[in-house]
Amino acid sequence: MARKSAKNRSSKSSATACKGPKPLGPAALVETLMGGWRPLSRMEVDGFAILRSRGVTRRANSIVPIDPPSDPQALDPALDRVSGLVRASGEPVLFRTYPEQGHAAVDEALARRGLTVEAPCEILELPLGPRTPAPDPRAMISSGPLPEDWFAASWRLSPREGEGARETMHDILAGTPAVHVAITGEGTGTSADGTIPATGRSGPDGVPVEAVAVGRAALVDHGRNRSAVLNQIATDPARRREGLGTAVVRTLLAAAQVQGAERALLEVETDNPAALALYRKLGFRRIGAYHYRVGD
């Protein structure tokens, strides 16, 4: 009988493990995604979060419903107030809404006001567990604060436009502890000191070694749950179709799991079918969506 009970417990434990982590609720999912791309400032007004980051990236400069008024008579004045605050600062009004995560009423109210939809995105999730891919042997991995050499490589591969954009991007990426991965043109494995030979370093033959692909997994805690929000994945245009993006993502997943992440999350624009196909091939599944609503 004891043997049978132990077997039953083992089977039950395995079944539980296969189910993956407990799903994030709508509010927790939105907060986790915002934590993966943390703005430089955040102000709460009438159940909305006004995110500001010197105008660099939409994710870090949008108005996001957190706990908006459910009464339509209270919702319209709230929308007036948050929109007015943004306009007063001289910046465009840009809302980010998650209709499937409880923002349908807000989204409909914004549509009635004439705000148009831009940049629809899918939210993808992959539970991390026994089937998590192994890291690529060519990858260089660093965890914790933002490594300056990794950032230099990331900026070279994926720069942003705008005055002060480089400094702002640095501050955004430094706002959350993360796993940083780079694949270099030469060499394999992580260096002994945990740094990434992205720029200004030479290989055995004296030739400078530079990263040809990079990626980041921000580690965001919500209660007892830790999620890895993958972003800033970029590949040298001259080295595309070599599987470097897949190698970066696989390594991020493996490294994030070591850091205690239970799931990986991704935000992918729907007009990027190549990226969506890549992530679905790796096992990611759609769990939601969002888009921006743009006014004058």
Side-chain angles (χ1 to χ4, degrees), residues 219-262:
L219 302 172
V220 183
D221 295 327
H222 193 278
R224 296 183 178 181
N225 299 313
R226 168 167 285 188
S227 300
V229 183
L230 276 59
N231 49 48
Q232 205 60 14
I233 298 168
T235 302
D236 186 334
R239 300 291 299 271
R240 286 176 183 162
R241 299 186 181 278
E242 296 182 21
L244 294 171
T246 299
V248 167
V249 173
R250 286 178 176 272
T251 304
L252 286 172
L253 297 176
Q257 184 182 27
V258 171
Q259 295 294 319
E262 297 178 320

Side-chain angles (χ1 to χ4, degrees), residues 8 20 25 34 47 61 72 75 84 90 95 99 134 137 142-143 149 160 166 170 215-216 268 295:
N8 289 341
M34 286 197 294
N61 289 274
L75 177 58
F95 283 84
S142 177
S143 61
D149 47 1
R160 305 277 179 153
R166 192 180 195 280
H170 183 282
R216 169 182 181 264
V268 187

Side-chain angles (χ1 to χ4, degrees), residues 23-35 42 47 49 64-68 96 98 100-103 123 220-223 265:
L24 292 172
L29 176 61
V30 173
E31 287 285 1
T32 299
L33 292 173
M34 286 197 294
R42 171 174 171 166
V64 184
I66 301 298
D67 186 21
R96 182 162 89 244
Y98 299 72
E100 298 175 35
Q101 273 65 50
H103 297 174
I123 306 168
V220 183
D221 295 327
H222 193 278
L265 296 170

